[in-house]
């Protein structure tokens, strides 16, 4: 699985976003070390504050499938026609949600933040340094 394919999977996922309020459709694709890709998109709610982000939905899908480890990369894409075209980075809550499965499996996934003209690659540990996670509770 190369970057382009993972990004394409995230873009496909964004097509299923339910974002009638923000009209900001996001897609996320998680790559696992067995080659599996699990995707998600944002799902909003008439009670605006209940919106669920693409990354959070993807992690929830993966964990509901029984995955607890092996997360190696994540691609995140936003709409091409909104904002300044800068790479989209996961929101704070999604960083914490991603950290849960990453720390469980002992990986530090590469996050591919897709912009209109560039893909910014950052480690989750760079986005969420000094993370609180499951290891703190044992
Ligand atoms: N959103 C995501 O899905 N992921 C992020 O990392 C940032 C924001 C969604 C939430 C909301 O539905 C819309 O984008 C606008 O904030």
């Amino acid at each position: 699985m190369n970057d382009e394919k993972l990004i394409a999977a995230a873009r496909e996922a964004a097509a299923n976003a339910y974002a009638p309020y923000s009209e900001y459709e996001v897609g996320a694709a998680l790559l696992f070390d067995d080659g599996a890709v699990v995707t998600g998109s944002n799902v909003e709610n008439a009670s605006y504050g209940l919106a669920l982000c693409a990354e959070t939905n993807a992690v929830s899908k993966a964990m509901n499938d029984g995955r607890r480890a092996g997360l190696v990369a994540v691609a995140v894409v936003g709409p091409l026609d909104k904002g300044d075209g800068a790479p989209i980075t996961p929101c704070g809550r999604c960083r914490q949600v991603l950290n849960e499965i990453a720390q469980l499996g002992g990986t530090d996934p590469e996050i591919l933040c897709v912009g209109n003209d560039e893909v910014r690659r950052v480690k989750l540990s760079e986005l969420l340094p000094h993370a609180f996670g499951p290891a703190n509770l044992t």
Side-chain angles (χ1 to χ4, degrees):
M1 168 69 59
N2 57 30
D3 288 2
E4 286 67 35
K5 281 192 179 155
L6 193 64
I7 291 166
R11 224 179 266 301
E12 265 177 46
N16 288 325
Y18 173 69
Y21 307 110
S22 71
E23 296 183 335
Y24 192 85
E25 281 135 7
V26 183
L30 313 181
L31 174 65
F32 289 86
D33 60 4
D34 62 356
V37 173
V38 179
T39 60
S41 63
N42 53 329
V43 175
E44 297 184 344
N45 191 281
S47 179
Y48 298 165
L50 301 183
L52 295 170
C53 289
E55 303 91 316
T56 289
N57 282 328
V59 170
S60 179
K61 266 172 80 179
M63 293 191 76
N64 272 285
D65 286 346
R67 293 188 179 275
R68 297 286 184 272
L71 180 62
V72 289
V74 180
V76 186
V77 306
L80 294 168
D81 60 344
K82 297 270 164 67
D84 59 4
I88 170 171
T89 56
C91 79
R93 183 176 189 266
C94 287
R95 295 177 195 198
Q96 182 69 27
V97 169
L98 287 164
N99 178 69
E100 186 77 15
I101 187 167
Q103 210 183 84
L104 277 179
T107 61
D108 185 8
E110 192 109 52
I111 316 295
L112 310 184
C113 306
V114 181
N116 287 6
D117 304 316
E118 64 166 310
V119 176
R120 186 177 298 155
R121 303 175 69 104
V122 280
K123 290 293 210 174
L124 180 60
S125 61
E126 290 177 68
L127 292 176
L128 190 69
H130 313 291
F132 179 84
N136 290 94
L137 299 177
T138 53

